[in-house]
Amino acid sequence: MRFSIATGLSLLIATSPSFAAAPTAAQKLAQDATIVDTHIDAPSELLKHWDDLGVAAPGKEFDYPKARQGGLDVAFMSIYTSPEEDAEGKAWQIANTQIDAVEAMVGRHPDKFAVLRSPGDLERLRAGGRVTLALGMENGAPIGDDLAKIAQFHARGVRYITLAHSANNRISDSSYTVQKQWGGLSPFGEKVVAEMNRVGIMVDVSHLSDDAVRDVLRVTDVPVIASHSSMRHFTPGFERNISDELARAVAAEGGVVQLAFGTAFVSPKAAADLQAFFAAEADFDRANAAAAAAGQPTRSKDDFEKEWKTAHPVPVVHIDAVLDQIDYGVKTIGIDHVGMGSDFDGVSGNLPVELHSVADYPNLVAGLQARGYKDADIRKILGGNLLRVWNAVEAAAAH
């Protein structure tokens, strides 16, 4: 029997008004299970403001003490570069600098962190309470026009690449852009997918247009992932989240959808506001360009963004929104094809009240237990499914 969030979690919340501490059974499972989070934006945040993540870092959603409290075993560090950095020719430099930052974190605290390059090394590297750090590249921009860079980034530890981000690039169309450039993957993008298959880097379809996801599934020879997407069923018209059709197609090829926690992914209002923001931003940029061309004053982009945020406050959401996503994902594509990609440190703190950092995975476990999930199935969601795909991609490349 499954319990609703109202009947199940209300009992937990009643004994813990802040919901800060999950029940002992949930804490125990979180510590014992292998927890894999495929999207944590710590590296880019470190370049904005350095913190020692080996000790408590207030204001950061990932650090070692929080990770141990939450039971996190594999933290995919997001090596993120923006479309603007790509246009300025800085993406390769910035990506390598972020990888250096992750390696420095490990070098500073070898007793707390280790770089994970293969799932086969996990048991050895997490011994002694280490948190293992894998690398996922968010935006294929650092590849440039050079397929050889894919193998170079693999040698540096990158184990998935999100082909595009919030704008079309030389590889793929983005879900966020109104005007698509390629109608899916570019011809070069098809070569990128094939080369990622060859060297053993997982292809990530988060951020891609629907047609690009279809192209990826046509080209790839191995399962793919959506590293941090949620189900579009809850956010109609929001292409950034994955449709039922494409989620089923990813699952049919053995892949996994890693559900994100960010408010914009799980709240219909926040998703609609984000779509409206991108449209308004495009209008703003066009108006500013026209004004500049006519020799007229232009508006400040910072002022535009501040005005938008004031007029569109982010709604408060709770953990039930994420649990509903998991329920629907399991119903739609099966228990073997759902996982977690939180987007911690990447959504400006806009997260469910009870899922505000890597310390809070036990709250998610408690919610799943309250809804009637068996521990074996919770283990699959927490990390088992992702590790299966990673193993499959690695094995295919080896052969």
Side-chain angles (χ1 to χ4, degrees), residues 64-182:
Y64 180 79
K66 294 186 188 78
R68 291 314 309 140
Q69 181 180 342
L72 180 60
D73 296 283
V74 182
F76 270 83
M77 299 282 99
S78 175
I79 307 303
Y80 167 69
T81 55
S82 69
E84 293 76 18
E85 290 161 346
D86 185 17
E88 294 167 1
K90 298 177 180 178
W92 183 86
Q93 175 70 27
I94 291 171
N96 280 287
T97 301
Q98 290 183 27
I99 296 172
D100 286 348
V102 174
E103 291 177 344
M105 190 173 8
V106 174
R108 191 176 299 113
H109 297 288
D111 57 329
K112 296 178 178 178
F113 298 117
V115 174
L116 182 64
R117 296 170 178 268
S118 168
D121 296 329
L122 176 57
E123 291 305 317
R124 174 177 61 83
L125 292 177
R126 72 176 178 177
R130 291 189 194 90
V131 176
T132 65
L133 308 178
L135 302 180
M137 181 179 288
E138 187 177 24
N139 196 352
I143 296 168
D145 298 306
D146 186 0
L147 286 175
K149 283 191 169 63
I150 296 173
Q152 292 171 15
F153 280 119
H154 182 271
R156 293 220 64 188
V158 172
R159 291 300 179 266
Y160 78 70
I161 297 176
T162 317
L163 300 182
H165 191 251
S166 56
N168 306 326
N169 62 13
R170 59 182 61 80
I171 298 171
S172 174
D173 289 337
S174 167
S175 61
Y176 282 139
T177 54
V178 176
Q179 298 295 325
K180 311 300 186 187
Q181 182 176 359
W182 306 106

Side-chain angles (χ1 to χ4, degrees), residues 282-351:
D283 291 342
F284 172 87
D285 290 341
R286 282 191 292 270
N288 253 8
Q296 299 173 352
T298 59
R299 291 181 61 201
S300 162
K301 188 68 168 283
D302 286 344
D303 288 346
F304 161 75
E305 292 181 354
K306 288 177 182 177
E307 290 171 7
W308 179 271
K309 290 178 181 178
T310 300
H312 301 83
V314 178
V316 175
V317 300
H318 290 272
I319 196 170
D320 59 326
V322 175
L323 293 168
D324 289 346
Q325 291 273 347
I326 294 173
D327 277 350
Y328 187 79
V330 170
K331 173 186 173 183
T332 304
I333 60 177
I335 192 67
D336 294 319
H337 303 285
V338 175
M340 306 186 310
S342 64
D343 216 354
F344 283 137
D345 283 318
V347 288
S348 302
N350 296 318
L351 292 154

